[in-house]
């Protein structure tokens, strides 16, 4: 049975199993008339050709309360990638458009920004999401932007309903809603959250004391989830990282730009399953090890931007404190897995923790060399001040691509 425990600094909305999907959708169909929703679906060419994407398209075809859907296609250099995505998005009808970030038109728009000193040179999910938000800003009727990944094997449209209702319902006043879920099959997944982020935050709090930002991050049950909903005004103000620090960086921007009272998290599904990254213990430039470095440096740089001083000695102590916290977590997860009849490879968990501990030292070195990090994508407030019609140009690029390349 689900719990209703409220923990931390933000509101938590649980799935108590007491409401049906059709009731959620009825409320959304009623209230989304005056608070319209735009949906962003970032997808690569590879994920577009996988089975989950087709399932998601079929599920969303029945969602009547979303006004506009932006399928933003990245890592797709060939025209055929774009054409195939257009065909697979047809069940969504005229409310959907495919935004091809590798196409010559959008690339030309990126170059326009780069020439003006507004750097958008780094490809990836972060830039794709940022581009789609700009595209949606062209329609002032869209008040809520929602986002979810396109590799969700267990996708059900109730996920989207539960994600958006806290922002759409007129009796609530949230500006940002983060999804959480349990990633479980015959074993526990989500190793970066379970074995790195949560123990790391505990270790940082023990090292730095009761830091409000760290306690805020620790309040999220799944801080690395790829699903969130945000008001258009907040989306316009937030800067979006371009690497694996996207999720943590987004939470940091939300913390900076709105009140904690306007932030919530919601349990969106009973089971969440998507593709898994390799651990890549031997190569820190790939897989979960690369993800860990990006997340760690994002946290360190955010703390520095808030006035926290981090020196070499901090990272040595942090590594030791993290290892103790992570080893305690393994013991807890082992007991939890046993009580639920799940497979649990304790040696594999220990190896992951040791690999993550090594990344703390590496991330500390990177942070000390570049405390401010690389060039971040500018927020849309800044872009619009320089190019007020840029969202309309993105819309026109998507429409021109569709007209030229649709088969």
């Amino acid at each position: 049975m689900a719990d209703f425990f409220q923990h931390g600094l933000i509101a938590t909305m649980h799935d108590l199993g007491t409401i049906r999907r059709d009731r959620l959708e009825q409320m959304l169909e009623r209230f989304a008339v005056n608070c319209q929703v735009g949906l962003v679906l970032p997808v690569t060419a590879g994920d577009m050709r996988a089975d989950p994407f087709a399932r998601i398209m079929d599920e969303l075809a029945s969602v009547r309360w979303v006004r506009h859907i932006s399928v933003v296609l990245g890592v797709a250099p060939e025209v055929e990638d774009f054409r195939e995505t257009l065909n697979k998005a047809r069940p969504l009808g005229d409310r959907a458009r495919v935004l091809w970030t590798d196409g010559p038109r959008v690339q030309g728009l990126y170059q326009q920004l780069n020439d003006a000193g507004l750097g958008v040179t780094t490809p990836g999910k972060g830039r794709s999401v940022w581009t789609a938000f700009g595209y949606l800003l062209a329609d002032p009727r869209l008040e809520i932007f929602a986002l979810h990944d396109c590799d969700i094997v267990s996708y059900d449209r109730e996920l989207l309903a539960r994600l958006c209702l806290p922002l759409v319902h007129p009796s609530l006043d949230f500006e940002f809603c983060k999804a959480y879920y349990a990633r479980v099959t015959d074993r526990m997944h989500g190793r970066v959250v379970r074995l790195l982020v949560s123990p790391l935050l505990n270790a940082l709090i023990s090292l730095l004391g009761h830091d409000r930002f760290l306690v805020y991050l620790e309040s999220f049950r799944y801080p690395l989830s790829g699903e969130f909903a945000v008001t258009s005004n907040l989306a316009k103000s937030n800067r979006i990282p371009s690497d694996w620090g996207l999720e943590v960086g987004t939470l940091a921007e939300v913390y900076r730009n709105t009140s904690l009272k306007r932030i919530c998290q919601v349990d969106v599904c009973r089971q969440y399953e998507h593709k898994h990254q390799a651990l890549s213990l031997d190569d820190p430039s790939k897989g979960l090890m690369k993800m860990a470095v990006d997340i760690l440096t994002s946290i360190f740089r955010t703390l520095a931007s808030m006035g926290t001083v981090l020196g070499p000695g901090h990272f040595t102590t942090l590594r030791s404190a993290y290892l103790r916290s992570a080893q305690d977590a393994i013991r807890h997860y082992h007991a939890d897995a046993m009580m639920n009849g799940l497979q649990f490879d304790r040696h594999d968990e220990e190896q992951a923790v040791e690999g993550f501990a090594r990344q703390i030292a590496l991330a500390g070195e990177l942070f000390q060399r570049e405390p401010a990090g690389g060039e971040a994508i500018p927020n849309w407030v800044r872009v619009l001040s320089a190019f007020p019609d840029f969202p309309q140009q993105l819309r026109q690029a998507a429409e021109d691509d569709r007209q030229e390349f649709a088969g």
Side-chain angles (χ1 to χ4, degrees):
M1 179 177 178
D3 70 272
F4 47 78
F5 181 59
Q6 294 290 333
H7 166 70
L9 300 179
I10 61 172
T12 300
M13 280 157 278
H14 307 82
D15 182 358
L16 302 177
T18 54
I19 189 169
R20 291 164 54 95
R21 184 179 70 186
D22 58 355
R23 173 60 178 147
L24 292 169
E25 293 184 333
Q26 286 169 11
M27 286 191 284
L28 283 159
E29 288 174 15
R30 175 185 175 190
F31 298 130
V33 172
N34 297 317
C35 186
Q36 296 183 9
V37 177
L39 174 61
V40 173
L41 300 175
V43 66
T44 65
D47 285 340
M48 175 269 296
R49 295 186 172 97
D51 291 339
F53 186 70
R55 175 188 174 94
I56 291 170
M57 294 298 99
D58 289 341
E59 283 281 310
L60 290 176
S62 302
V63 176
R64 295 176 292 185
W65 50 270
V66 173
R67 178 176 181 85
H68 190 89
I69 300 174
S70 175
V71 180
V72 55
L73 176 65
V75 196
E78 304 299 330
V79 172
E80 187 53 40
D81 298 329
F82 178 65
R83 286 200 179 103
E84 191 171 346
T85 307
L86 285 174
N87 289 329
K88 292 199 172 183
R90 289 191 193 282
L92 304 180
D94 290 338
R95 62 188 171 149
R97 287 292 183 270
V98 178
L99 186 58
W100 184 24
T101 62
D102 289 329
R105 290 186 173 92
V106 174
Q107 286 292 314
L109 292 175
Y110 288 156
Q111 189 59 51
Q112 182 181 342
L113 295 181
N114 291 328
D115 291 343
L118 301 171
V120 289
T121 56
T122 305
K125 181 182 176 183
R127 189 175 70 173
S128 291
V129 172
W130 176 88
T131 305
F133 281 175
Y135 177 91
L136 294 179
L137 285 170
D139 186 346
R141 296 168 296 182
L142 298 176
E143 296 185 33
I144 306 298
F145 298 169
L147 165 74
H148 68 64
D149 289 335
C150 288
D151 60 349
I152 307 171
V153 176
S154 54
Y155 185 80
D156 185 292
R157 67 178 191 267
E158 184 174 338
L159 178 153
L160 182 61
R162 295 185 64 83
L163 182 65
C164 292
L165 188 60
L167 272 65
V168 173
H169 200 289
S171 71
L172 304 176
D173 62 349
F174 295 111
E175 289 189 333
F176 180 82
C177 181
K178 180 78 163 176
Y180 76 89
Y181 33 70
R183 291 193 57 203
V184 178
T185 54
D186 62 339
R187 68 200 67 206
M188 294 179 179
H189 300 290
R191 287 174 291 181
V192 179
V193 170
R194 290 191 299 108
L195 302 178
L196 172 63
V197 176
S198 294
L200 176 82
L201 292 174
N202 289 330
L204 280 167
I205 291 170
S206 70
L207 179 66
L208 301 175
H210 186 89
D211 182 277
R212 191 167 174 81
F213 172 67
L214 293 173
V215 175
Y216 157 79
L217 283 184
E218 198 265 341
S219 300
F220 288 95
R221 293 195 171 194
Y222 205 95
L224 301 186
S225 70
E227 293 72 34
F228 66 84
V230 62
T231 63
S232 58
N233 281 335
L234 189 54
K236 191 161 55 174
S237 299
N238 288 346
R239 300 178 75 185
I240 296 180
S242 58
D243 57 17
W244 281 110
L246 170 63
E247 283 77 19
V248 171
T250 297
L251 293 180
E253 283 294 291
V254 170
Y255 178 84
R256 177 185 179 189
N257 292 320
T258 192
S259 165
L260 294 179
K261 295 185 294 185
R262 312 295 296 277
I263 302 169
C264 67
Q265 62 182 336
V266 62
D267 188 349
V268 294
C269 57
R270 293 299 178 94
Q271 184 182 31
Y272 184 102
E273 174 65 7
H274 72 175
K275 68 181 181 182
H276 304 284
Q277 295 282 339
L279 188 58
S280 191
L281 286 171
D282 297 327
D283 188 348
S285 67
K286 297 179 181 177
L288 298 189
M289 294 299 106
K290 166 61 174 171
M291 185 188 301
V293 171
D294 288 346
I295 291 166
L296 289 163
T297 52
S298 178
I299 292 174
F300 298 157
R301 286 165 179 159
T302 301
L303 287 169
S305 73
M306 296 177 179
T308 301
V309 177
L310 295 172
H314 286 99
F315 299 109
T316 301
T317 304
L318 177 61
R319 184 178 184 277
S320 297
Y322 160 76
L323 278 170
R324 175 64 62 87
S325 179
Q327 287 160 358
D328 289 344
I330 289 174
R331 187 167 64 253
H332 298 164
Y333 290 126
H334 183 201
D336 202 3
M338 186 191 70
M339 287 294 295
N340 286 281
L342 301 176
Q343 296 182 34
F344 191 87
D345 187 333
R346 189 154 185 165
H347 175 64
D348 186 63
E349 299 270 293
E350 294 278 2
Q351 283 190 310
V353 162
E354 291 166 2
F356 291 143
R358 290 193 293 270
Q359 304 316 100
I360 291 175
L362 177 58
E365 292 172 4
L366 291 173
F367 164 76
Q368 291 173 82
R369 287 202 301 267
E370 296 182 78
E375 189 177 60
I377 302 175
N379 66 17
W380 276 103
V381 170
R382 183 179 176 190
V383 173
L384 291 172
S385 68
F387 300 97
D389 65 339
F390 202 85
Q392 287 74 22
Q393 292 184 58
L394 284 170
R395 289 240 167 178
Q396 191 61 52
E399 183 59 27
D400 290 346
D401 281 346
R402 186 179 71 89
Q403 294 288 343
E404 179 177 352
F405 298 117

